[in-house]
Amino acid sequence: MKEHAEKSSRLPPAETFVLIAAAAWTVYVALTCFRLEGGAAEVLATSWPYLAFAPMLVAGAVLGHVAKRGVLPLVVSLLVVAPALVLLLGAPSYVNALAAAGVQLAALGALILEGSAGAGVRGLRGAPMVRTRDPGDVALGGWDRAQIAWRRQLVQVIGACIAVLGVVLATNAKAGLATLAVVLLAAALAAWGRLHLSRRTIVGLGLGAVGLAALLVVVLGVVSRWPSWMTGPQSLSSARHALWRDALTLFAQHPVLGGGPGAFSDWSDIAEYNPLLYAAHSSVLQVASELGAVGVFLFGAMLAAGMNLAAQRGRGRALIGVAAWSALAVHSMIDHLYEFPMVVLLAGIVIGWAGARPVRRAGTPPGPEPRPGR
């Protein structure tokens, strides 16, 4: 019994991986700040997006984990929806960040609906049940059938509202619609229930998509000229090509540690003279140019850790969580989305919800752990 208590108190490997990756990223960024010239306020102004990235992601994962396990789920849901409503009602923001936040909200709504699909079903069939605190796994344990059905409907209404809000926000940008389609497809496959992909395969597909997108961005940044159909007003634009080329040039001059946070906007002429183009509009190239190969490696570790966490539980949850996290990463390969706290927080909530462990009553023997590949 004591051995079981000690084992249950240990942090699972997936969550440990996230914390180690987040800590390594934050420490490295903090150390790079010592290379910068200027006062503390100036240094913070250029480095805060990097410094905030990991803490916001971890905070979101914790919120998602807590909400999925049934601790104050309504309060957490309101904390998620209220800021999104502010954005929807017209708070000034970057439209692509609005769309990315919407995709994450749609994924969260899909996860809530996926978890509530079987809520109370086993209890209504008369099987012996134990009361749990998981809104997606409600049991009889002192509640009658009417209470179970009411709770299930409430959770489904919350999930549907969050999903609809996310879809509305995602329509702010074409890239948002494209990534939303990926998440909705994943949700449809999860609802279908005949998913034959293992969780390892799902993670592998997610990592492959992100890696392919990063490689494509590097190739496009290297080539001297883009075809005309890629530089039109409805496409990536020639300005983005110039930004990517400048980022790769800065990286070539500082390949290991990069030029330092904020160096890109001083290096690139187009970024320096156009305040709307202050970033490289590619997260991987921005990190490469300012934090070097070490930063790219740690950034990749953060992406892999988030994907691994999202895939820890059922295949349906794994598919939705990995799809949402991968879609954000692919979108950010041609944009700069991780510097927006709301986007990162929502993404963290999604992967935390998807990878949350089930709640067990005290004295209840643990069930068998799912196999890593399933």
Side-chain angles (χ1 to χ4, degrees), residues 10-23:
R10 297 173 186 170
L11 206 60
E15 296 170 13
T16 303
F17 183 16
V18 170
L19 292 178
I20 291 175

Side-chain angles (χ1 to χ4, degrees), residues 140 144 162 192 232 282 354:
L140 286 180
D144 59 28
I162 292 176
W192 185 40
S282 170

Side-chain angles (χ1 to χ4, degrees), residues 56 79-80 82-84 87 97 101 340-347:
M56 291 301 295
L79 288 174
V80 173
L87 294 177
F340 295 92
M342 173 57 68
V343 175
V344 178
L345 181 68
L346 288 173

Side-chain angles (χ1 to χ4, degrees), residues 4-310:
H4 168 60
E6 291 177 353
K7 184 178 179 180
S8 62
S9 65
R10 297 173 186 170
L11 206 60
E15 296 170 13
T16 303
F17 183 16
V18 170
L19 292 178
I20 291 175
W25 168 270
T26 305
V27 169
Y28 175 68
V29 172
L31 290 175
T32 62
C33 291
F34 289 106
R35 301 165 48 199
L36 303 180
E37 299 178 358
E42 185 179 354
V43 170
L44 184 61
T46 57
S47 60
W48 77 264
Y50 294 125
L51 291 171
F53 171 45
M56 291 301 295
L57 181 64
V58 171
V62 171
L63 276 176
H65 185 88
V66 168
K68 179 64 182 77
R69 287 166 63 87
V71 181
L72 301 178
L74 295 179
V75 174
V76 174
S77 298
L78 290 175
L79 288 174
V80 173
V81 175
L85 281 174
V86 172
L87 294 177
L88 181 62
L89 294 176
S93 184
Y94 183 46
V95 292
N96 283 336
L98 278 176
V103 173
Q104 299 305 308
L105 280 173
L108 178 61
L111 284 170
I112 294 174
L113 291 172
E114 188 272 344
S116 67
V121 171
R122 287 172 294 173
L124 292 174
R125 289 175 179 172
M129 294 296 294
V130 178
R131 179 173 181 174
T132 71
R133 300 169 68 185
D134 186 339
D137 190 19
V138 181
L140 286 180
W143 292 339
D144 59 28
R145 291 173 174 79
Q147 289 174 314
I148 293 173
W150 177 84
R151 177 169 174 154
R152 176 185 179 183
Q153 292 170 0
L154 177 62
V155 171
Q156 289 175 336
V157 168
I158 292 173
C161 289
I162 292 176
V164 170
L165 176 61
V167 170
V168 172
L169 285 171
T171 60
N172 279 275
K174 286 187 174 181
L177 287 173
T179 52
L180 175 66
V182 173
V183 170
L184 293 182
L185 176 61
L189 290 174
W192 185 40
R194 297 180 180 179
L195 191 62
H196 301 296
L197 298 175
S198 69
R199 295 203 305 274
R200 286 179 179 174
T201 301
I202 293 171
V203 171
L205 289 173
L207 289 173
V210 175
L212 182 61
L215 178 62
L216 182 61
V217 165
V218 172
V219 171
L220 289 175
V222 170
V223 297
S224 58
R225 188 174 182 179
W226 286 359
S228 58
W229 62 269
M230 289 188 63
T231 58
Q234 301 300 320
S235 188
L236 292 177
S237 82
S238 57
R240 186 167 267 134
H241 183 201
L243 291 169
W244 291 2
R245 188 171 58 245
D246 288 346
L248 286 170
T249 303
L250 179 57
F251 170 69
Q253 294 198 3
H254 306 276
V256 179
L257 301 178
F264 175 77
S265 59
D266 295 331
W267 169 265
S268 172
D269 290 337
I270 189 172
E272 184 177 7
Y273 293 107
N274 189 334
L276 297 178
L277 301 175
Y278 65 91
H281 282 71
S282 170
S283 290
V284 67
L285 296 185
Q286 184 85 25
V287 170
S289 65
E290 297 190 341
L291 300 180
V294 176
V296 171
F297 173 79
L298 294 175
F299 180 61
M302 289 284 291
L303 297 183
M307 221 167 286
N308 184 51
L309 177 61

